[in-house]
Amino acid sequence: MPRQDAPKRYAFDQFAAIRRYQPTLAFAPDSSAVAYSTNTSGQFNIWRQPSEGGYPRQLTLYTEKAVRDLAWSPDGMQIVFTADEHGDEFYQLYTIPERGGQPELLVSEPDVQHYLASGGAWSPDGRFIAYAGNDREPTDQDVVIRDTTTGEMHRLLAGEANYFADTWSPDGAWLTVVKFNSNSDTDILLVSRDGETRRALTTHEGETLYFPGPWKPDGSGFYLLTDEGREFLGLASYNLARGAFEWDVTLDWDIEHLQASNDGSVLVWSVNEDGYSRLYARDERTGQQISLPPIPNGVVQLLKVSPDGKKIGLMLNRPTHPAEIYLVDVPSGAVTQITDGFLGGIDEADLIEPELIRFPSFDGREIPAFLYRPKGEGPFAAILSIHGGPEAQERPVYASSGLYQYLLSRGIGILATNIRGSTGYGKSYQKLIHRDFGGDDLKDFDAAAKYLQSLPWVDSKRLGVYGGSYGGFATLSCVSRLPDYWAAAVDIVGPSNLVTFAKAVPPTWRRFMADWVGDPETEADFLMSRSPITYVDQIKAPLFVIQGANDPRVVKSESDQIVERLRARGVPVKYDVYDDEGHGFTKRENELKAMRDTAEFFETHLLG
């Protein structure tokens, strides 16, 4: 059957004319407004907007700092937030009046990472703010509370570990805490507000995930997500008196978000079904499921419930529309999109939905992927896109600020894979990447390239590869160890040398590196055998490398190494360094330039 006619030739800037959001959202205590962080001004700042929709108001006016997280005080008078500068990831704590004004710096520790309690930073009475910080020891995250009346800080939990504050009990006497052991292993602890009493609630053998959720209104326990004895995260209810949990909802997919109203009357969760989000809610007074309208096919990136339980706040991202904030009215079922960040005048009907496919790898595993085919007959060039993490998931979203859709409009297809090590397909699949960077994952990329070549509409001589962070490492691995497939490659902040990478990661990561990637002190030969830099002489495809000078996760020298070696060989390599960015982009002008340059690079080398 003939394919549709080629789509309209929109300019790149039209695809990239979008607003981006940080993964944070807060309702005012009276549910009348929401606050979020978006880059409408060119940088991520706090904006406040009525819950019924209406004109948003900008509260912070940063140009160099980026607001990352926020929480509204119980009395509604102020907002606490974290911000870093130039992407350095040293998140500092501030407060600002809820109507705007001059932000107040709460803690002046410029080389420290602070994280607000993820389940709600403010104690119910509004007196204390809970957060984590590595101020005592750079390799450890401690749980700290700040008394907003006196300014005094009290360290509740400290040690040779990474602790993160989560959720206050309804009476403010207790705080749930997550002890992060690895990407596939966490624990829940209970700590009294004075720090004198501590209980380990999830002592276990092996690797298991436990994440605390909202408390029961009577303080008898709380909900949690865990994969104990299972492949996927299920919903359970923990009873403090019995010291045990009972299963509530168990599926063969991960429950990804869990929230409740302040009075506990409404419980809401979303499920990651093969990459797509499905939304569910329950009336806790009756135990009955609440009938919700279907949400558009896409990904719920953030979920919140208003204090009165009448509204559900979603940050929803779709393949043909960038992230927007939606509010679901629980009593009526009405869904309202309150933001409008798709500004380029593009008709969504001209954009392309992906096909969810699976292709076989070397060991018989079926690798999930999203395949985007351009409109028209072909043959087309195609790009293998590799997500970061690697313990993350490629999902059906408006990817890379419109880069996917722009390339599709120019006749370049996309295969966006979820190779072994990706989340969302069970913990056994996720763990396959542990201590195997550059191992079997490379064989999955080989299988992906062969799959693309097998498609009748793909020109096998015009294949590209693209990725950032781990995806950048994978891109460099592909062009150096599978060099015959590729006509062009773009690496964004990717490690090139696993030994130097493992030695230079942030201090709080160091205790995990031996089990995650390998020990750079005792296993240097093993790590070098998996490093792209070792095979740099095999690279022949034109390469574009993008790097943030302030990147604390993959430091600039990782990109410097491979660029210097390639230039010494005379291999074409384009290298752009952003002096005011870190691991990714916070400034809109920088992101636009990087994505536009990426598009032009692929057009030049894949289309001629």
Side-chain angles (χ1 to χ4, degrees):
M1 180 179 294
R3 299 289 294 180
Q4 294 171 279
D5 293 335
K8 296 176 184 176
R9 300 274 293 186
Y10 298 105
F12 175 82
D13 284 5
Q14 291 178 270
F15 288 93
I18 66 171
R19 295 189 176 109
R20 286 179 57 215
Y21 299 86
Q22 288 292 313
T24 185
L25 177 71
F27 278 94
D30 64 1
S31 304
S32 65
V34 292
Y36 48 84
S37 175
T38 181
N39 70 342
T40 300
S41 65
Q43 180 57 281
F44 288 103
N45 278 290
I46 300 176
W47 292 71
R48 169 202 170 114
Q49 189 170 0
S51 295
E52 301 301 325
Y55 191 76
R57 177 179 179 180
Q58 186 175 347
L59 301 188
T60 58
L61 301 170
Y62 293 132
T63 57
E64 306 304 317
K65 293 182 174 66
V67 174
R68 302 289 193 163
D69 197 8
L70 57 87
W72 216 307
S73 65
D75 64 4
M77 300 305 293
Q78 56 185 326
I79 293 171
V80 64
F81 65 94
T82 58
D84 67 334
E85 190 165 0
H86 294 163
D88 62 12
E89 299 188 11
F90 292 127
Y91 311 119
Q92 302 303 308
L93 284 173
Y94 303 81
T95 56
I96 189 170
E98 55 94 20
R99 289 287 178 182
Q102 180 64 33
E104 177 186 355
L105 178 63
L106 296 185
V107 185
S108 181
E109 295 169 322
D111 296 328
V112 172
Q113 291 182 311
H114 300 99
Y115 296 90
L116 292 175
S118 57
W122 297 88
S123 61
D125 61 6
R127 179 174 176 178
F128 298 98
I129 297 171
Y131 61 94
N134 64 337
D135 54 311
R136 178 187 58 82
E137 177 62 47
T139 57
D140 304 327
Q141 290 283 165
D142 299 343
V143 173
V144 181
I145 61 172
R146 177 185 173 90
D147 189 326
T148 60
T149 61
T150 67
E152 294 179 351
M153 291 177 290
H154 180 50
R155 203 170 302 271
L156 296 190
L157 195 59
E160 294 182 1
N162 283 2
Y163 296 112
F164 296 93
D166 199 274
T167 308
W168 290 94
S169 63
D171 61 2
W174 300 91
L175 187 66
T176 52
V177 172
V178 174
K179 180 174 180 279
F180 182 87
N181 305 313
S182 74
N183 287 337
S184 52
D185 187 35
T186 58
D187 274 299
I188 300 175
L189 293 87
L190 189 66
V191 184
S192 61
R193 191 173 67 188
D194 59 12
E196 296 298 320
T197 305
R198 305 168 186 175
R199 290 173 58 185
L201 303 183
T202 56
T203 302
H204 63 280
E205 298 291 333
E207 293 184 310
T208 303
L209 291 172
Y210 302 90
F211 299 112
W215 282 74
K216 299 293 185 67
D218 61 3
S220 63
F222 54 88
Y223 290 102
L224 73 151
L225 299 179
T226 178
D227 61 4
E228 182 179 313
R230 309 185 70 252
E231 280 293 314
F232 296 92
L233 288 169
L235 169 59
S237 177
Y238 193 96
N239 185 283
L240 290 173
R242 292 191 296 104
F245 70 80
E246 294 181 350
W247 288 111
D248 192 328
V249 180
T250 54
L251 305 166
D252 288 336
W253 297 109
D254 282 331
I255 296 178
E256 56 184 354
H257 300 293
L258 175 64
Q259 292 288 321
S261 58
N262 281 359
D263 62 5
S265 63
V266 176
L267 187 71
V268 183
W269 65 93
S270 65
V271 179
N272 173 359
E273 296 183 7
D274 230 342
Y276 291 91
S277 294
R278 308 297 180 222
L279 187 64
Y280 301 88
R282 189 171 67 202
D283 187 327
E284 293 296 89
R285 296 162 298 191
T286 66
Q288 297 299 307
Q289 203 88 354
I290 297 173
S291 179
L292 296 176
I295 59 174
N297 248 0
V299 178
V300 172
Q301 296 181 313
L302 185 68
L303 175 64
K304 292 289 183 180
V305 181
S306 65
D308 61 11
K310 294 181 179 180
K311 292 187 183 297
I312 301 169
L314 306 174
M315 190 176 293
L316 181 67
N317 198 331
R318 299 185 281 126
T320 59
H321 194 106
E324 303 282 11
I325 295 175
Y326 293 75
L327 294 181
V328 180
D329 186 80
V330 175
S332 71
V335 180
T336 304
Q337 178 185 322
I338 68 166
T339 61
D340 186 11
F342 201 24
L343 309 175
I346 293 176
D347 185 345
E348 287 187 41
D350 293 325
L351 304 184
I352 293 174
E353 292 275 354
E355 177 187 0
L356 178 60
I357 61 99
R358 282 171 166 78
F359 61 87
S361 192
F362 71 99
D363 57 358
R365 294 181 191 277
E366 293 291 317
I367 306 300
F370 290 96
L371 179 64
Y372 298 77
R373 174 179 171 161
K375 296 178 181 180
E377 291 297 328
F380 300 112
I383 292 171
L384 172 62
S385 179
I386 306 169
H387 66 68
E391 292 170 78
Q393 186 180 11
E394 178 75 32
R395 302 188 68 179
V397 298
Y398 192 78
S400 300
S401 295
L403 178 65
Y404 281 17
Q405 293 292 346
Y406 173 80
L407 293 172
L408 288 162
S409 75
R410 264 49 183 178
I412 300 175
I414 308 287
L415 179 66
T417 60
N418 278 308
I419 57 95
R420 67 194 63 223
S422 301
T423 55
Y425 306 96
K427 61 186 178 184
S428 296
Y429 190 78
Q430 176 183 341
K431 292 178 184 178
L432 292 173
I433 196 64
H434 292 182
R435 292 180 54 80
D436 199 34
F437 282 45
D440 286 348
D441 55 347
L442 189 72
K443 299 175 185 177
D444 286 349
F445 302 136
D446 181 73
K450 287 183 169 66
Y451 172 77
L452 279 173
Q453 290 182 328
S454 74
L455 297 175
W457 53 268
V458 170
D459 181 347
S460 62
K461 296 187 181 302
R462 292 189 289 146
L463 297 186
V465 59
Y466 162 84
S469 193
Y470 165 81
F473 164 81
T475 295
L476 295 176
S477 295
C478 283
V479 295
S480 62
R481 301 177 66 187
L482 303 170
D484 294 333
Y485 288 121
W486 317 108
V490 177
D491 151 42
I492 303 176
V493 296
S496 65
N497 182 326
L498 291 179
V499 173
T500 54
F501 163 67
K503 288 181 177 181
V505 294
T508 53
W509 289 26
R510 290 173 190 164
R511 61 169 49 89
F512 312 121
M513 294 310 292
D515 291 332
W516 189 43
V517 179
D519 190 325
E521 302 298 338
T522 62
E523 299 177 293
D525 290 345
F526 163 70
L527 293 177
M528 289 305 298
S529 73
R530 304 293 188 86
S531 296
I533 196 72
T534 301
Y535 308 94
V536 65
D537 290 346
Q538 298 180 180
I539 295 177
K540 53 187 179 182
L543 177 65
F544 181 17
V545 177
I546 298 173
Q547 178 69 46
N550 302 314
D551 192 337
R553 307 186 193 190
V554 180
V555 297
K556 179 175 172 289
S557 62
E558 289 300 307
S559 293
D560 290 345
Q561 293 179 58
I562 203 148
V563 169
E564 289 168 3
R565 290 281 299 274
L566 287 170
R567 284 178 172 169
R569 284 181 52 220
V571 175
V573 55
K574 174 178 170 64
Y575 187 29
D576 283 357
V577 177
Y578 289 83
D579 291 333
D580 52 354
E581 297 286 6
H583 197 70
F585 298 98
T586 62
K587 293 187 175 180
R588 175 169 169 74
E589 61 183 298
N590 291 340
E591 182 181 33
L592 282 176
K593 181 182 184 306
M595 292 300 100
R596 186 187 297 111
D597 290 348
T598 296
E600 290 177 357
F601 184 84
F602 278 129
E603 287 184 275
T604 297
H605 295 284
L606 298 184
L607 301 182

